[in-house]
Amino acid sequence: MMLSPYFDIILRSVAVYFFMTIALRVFGKKELSQLNTADIILILLISNSVQNAMVGPDTSLSGGLIAALALFIINYIIKKLTHKYKGLNNLLLDKPEILIHNGIIDFKTLSKLDISHEELKEAAREHGLEHLTDIKLAMLEVDGTISVISDDKKNIKETHFKRKHNHKNLQK
């Protein structure tokens, strides 16, 4: 029957999707915001390594398109389900983390997320603030960016601070 090989591709693609979702959840949002050359190479190699797991021996155009379609559909379904069911959303997606509240730094959260004091000061400067005590709220967002809100209504500056790898990690 002609449907069976395509059904196999769909099942394989969905399995790989869930594996990659779990793997990214385990490694966390911080890693996604810090992509460097080695990380991009890793992503490319992972995509190449799981390709055969998805399509098996079928290297035809239709096999590849079926696998891609299955990934788009499962991604769409997961997005709809995470919006509808809070428990699934909490399981699969990270939440924003408060780093500073009313000028008070949460050192425990900074340590847990491996964010240095210097990195936090850099984010403040990117947002036009000289002192961390001027920050009303600083958060590590789910996409790995640090957003900053200050009390200073006159000098509001919109920026998009993107975290980088810690300098000590690059020196190893």
Side-chain angles (χ1 to χ4, degrees):
M1 185 160 109
M2 195 62 172
L3 187 62
S4 180
Y6 293 130
F7 187 68
D8 185 51
I9 290 172
I10 291 169
L11 287 178
R12 289 167 170 260
S13 298
V14 169
V16 168
Y17 179 91
F18 281 113
F19 170 79
M20 293 303 298
T21 300
I22 292 166
L24 289 173
R25 178 71 168 116
V26 167
F27 289 105
K29 65 185 167 206
K30 185 180 69 145
E31 296 304 320
L32 291 177
S33 72
Q34 301 175 5
L35 293 179
N36 61 26
T37 304
D39 296 326
I40 292 169
I41 291 169
L42 175 66
I43 289 171
L44 291 173
L45 291 174
I46 288 172
S47 67
N48 192 42
S49 69
V50 299
Q51 174 190 0
N52 289 339
M54 289 189 300
V55 295
D58 186 345
T59 58
S60 67
L61 175 62
S62 59
L65 293 176
I66 293 292
L69 180 63
L71 292 172
F72 277 113
I73 290 171
I74 194 66
N75 190 58
Y76 176 80
I77 291 169
I78 294 297
K79 282 185 177 184
K80 289 295 183 185
L81 290 174
T82 55
H83 285 289
K84 187 173 182 176
Y85 299 106
K86 190 85 168 154
L88 184 61
N89 185 42
N90 293 340
L91 179 67
L92 295 178
L93 305 175
D94 282 332
K95 292 168 218 42
E97 301 267 0
I98 296 174
L99 307 175
I100 299 176
H101 186 259
N102 291 328
I104 300 170
I105 302 169
D106 187 338
F107 290 103
K108 185 177 179 183
T109 301
L110 287 178
S111 176
K112 177 181 87 171
L113 298 171
D114 197 25
I115 298 174
S116 70
H117 191 257
E118 287 304 313
E119 194 173 10
L120 197 55
K121 290 192 318 191
E122 183 182 347
R125 289 190 303 273
E126 289 274 333
H127 287 83
L129 299 171
E130 188 176 352
H131 304 287
L132 296 178
T133 54
D134 296 335
I135 296 174
K136 182 177 180 180
L137 184 66
M139 299 195 65
L140 179 65
E141 302 295 348
V142 295
D143 65 354
T145 59
I146 297 175
S147 61
V148 176
I149 300 170
S150 73
D151 283 328
D152 187 1
K153 304 286 188 232
K154 293 180 216 161
N155 295 322
I156 292 178
K157 180 179 178 184
E158 281 191 41
T159 62
H160 193 71
F161 181 79
K162 193 76 164 171
R163 291 197 64 225
K164 300 174 194 82
H165 274 293
N166 289 341
H167 298 290
K168 63 183 174 190
N169 290 341
L170 295 175
Q171 295 170 352
K172 288 183 181 177

